[in-house]
Amino acid sequence: MSESSETGLPSARSAPTVPYASYLRVYEPLAAFAEPERTHWASYARRAVVPTAQDELRRSLADLVRVPVVGVPVHESADAFTAHVDGVLLVCPWRTRLRGWLALKELVEEFPQPVLDAALPPSARQRAAEEYERWRERNPDARPWIRTAVWQVPLRWFVLVADDEREYVPGERLRYRTPMVQARRRLARGLRTLREAEGYEGFADALVEVGSWLEEFHPRSMVELDYGGLVHALPGDRLAADRSARDVAVGLAALRSGDEVAAAEAYEELSEHWREVRERLFAN
């Protein structure tokens, strides 16, 4: 198996595709980073070969099949995703170790203990929790630049983007990219609409949590909603027809106009669409 000389990871052509994760990312301008990290990312962006989202996910999965299992990486990643927008370099650090700690915390809260014990021994979880607490004391303001969802794209993410920002390349990617100022404006408007309606408290609470996360970043950042590996898991015709951002906007517009029936229908159709996608988790 060939490997990237820069990353030590299997090349995109030779490694298997991991098909189930989608992402919400924030790319910040270099000005948002203090030295020496700013210089590191400036140099990093000049590399001829940089790792992909699939590389990142494969590296995480490799830790889970080691003996003993490594639930959280020992060292923080020095990798990032980069983009140039209007001549400005934007950076989205992986922060794999931090995200590993946060994911482990969610697992402990959501999964039955026998399942957790089988996947990751209690001693390993305790060690990871203690390491995280010590690290958090030294880095109280740290937050991840990337959020991950499995076998779905959460509906609340679509509130941040617009249909005309959709980029679809069959077999390669489906993503939306929008300026941070636009994402925050859409979120605020959507939240106001949901709070004025009845029956959408859960959706509103989820948006509040996303909004609090976005407020942590530089105002000239870029927000990216990326279908990630789902592009390889779902049929091409289904992806071509997927206009979830438009459908969320239509539902919110119906709520603002007082048409609760149309809003409920739009929400139910979208929920059913993504419910069918999530059910692939249990398919052979």
Side-chain angles (χ1 to χ4, degrees):
M1 180 178 291
S2 63
E3 293 188 348
S4 161
S5 61
E6 294 286 340
T7 65
L9 294 168
S11 69
R13 292 185 178 182
S14 64
T17 298
V18 183
Y20 54 76
S22 63
Y23 307 93
L24 186 65
R25 305 187 182 101
V26 172
Y27 292 70
E28 290 194 284
L30 277 182
F33 298 92
E35 294 290 3
E37 192 172 13
R38 184 184 304 174
T39 297
H40 167 75
W41 294 133
S43 175
Y44 181 92
R46 292 193 292 269
R47 293 166 57 174
V49 178
V50 294
T52 67
Q54 285 288 307
D55 291 327
E56 181 204 15
L57 188 52
R58 292 188 196 107
R59 186 180 297 178
S60 299
L61 293 176
D63 286 337
L64 296 178
V65 298
R66 292 180 182 175
V67 180
V69 172
V70 179
V72 176
V74 176
H75 302 290
E76 187 54 274
S77 171
D79 287 305
F81 301 115
T82 62
H84 286 85
V85 178
D86 297 330
V88 176
L89 172 63
L90 302 175
V91 180
C92 176
W94 285 8
R95 290 296 192 271
T96 309
R97 194 180 193 209
L98 171 58
R99 290 162 55 209
W101 277 321
L102 297 176
L104 183 57
K105 185 177 180 180
E106 291 180 2
L107 288 176
V108 170
E109 294 172 351
E110 296 179 7
F111 278 73
Q113 186 169 327
V115 175
L116 280 172
D117 291 346
L120 193 63
S123 59
R125 299 203 305 272
Q126 179 65 27
R127 183 168 58 252
E130 292 172 352
E131 290 173 348
Y132 176 61
E133 288 304 318
R134 290 194 295 269
W135 182 89
R136 195 70 184 177
E137 290 177 0
R138 302 190 302 271
N139 303 272
D141 299 324
R143 75 285 197 238
W145 279 257
I146 304 172
R147 294 189 162 204
T148 304
V150 177
W151 284 114
Q152 65 172 316
V153 179
L155 295 187
R156 59 188 176 273
W157 292 4
F158 290 110
V159 176
L160 310 178
V161 297
D163 186 65
D164 60 6
E165 294 164 340
R166 181 178 183 271
E167 303 174 30
Y168 178 48
V169 180
E172 294 186 22
R173 70 171 180 267
L174 200 172
R175 72 185 182 193
Y176 299 78
R177 285 180 163 181
T178 192
M180 175 64 78
V181 63
Q182 286 280 33
R184 289 175 176 169
R185 184 178 297 124
R186 291 170 183 145
L187 187 145
R189 190 180 187 203
L191 183 57
R192 185 166 56 251
T193 299
L194 292 169
R195 282 176 166 168
E196 292 173 351
E198 294 184 3
Y200 295 90
E201 293 82 5
F203 201 166
D205 290 345
L207 269 187
V208 168
E209 195 271 335
V210 173
S212 297
W213 177 64
L214 291 182
E215 287 297 327
E216 297 290 328
F217 298 99
H218 194 284
R220 294 189 178 180
S221 299
M222 176 182 72
V223 177
E224 177 183 75
L225 189 166
D226 183 1
Y227 276 51
L230 291 177
V231 169
H232 306 287
L234 301 178
D237 57 347
R238 182 165 189 160
L239 290 166
D242 186 312
R243 315 298 289 218
S244 293
R246 179 197 62 193
D247 296 340
V248 166
V250 167
L252 289 172
L255 271 184
R256 278 192 292 272
S257 68
D259 192 343
E260 296 185 3
V261 173
E265 289 177 352
Y267 184 75
E268 181 56 35
E269 288 179 7
L270 270 172
S271 297
E272 179 60 28
H273 167 74
W274 286 104
R275 189 157 40 242
E276 291 176 2
V277 174
R278 289 195 297 275
E279 286 175 355
R280 292 171 179 263
L281 171 64
F282 307 103
N284 293 328

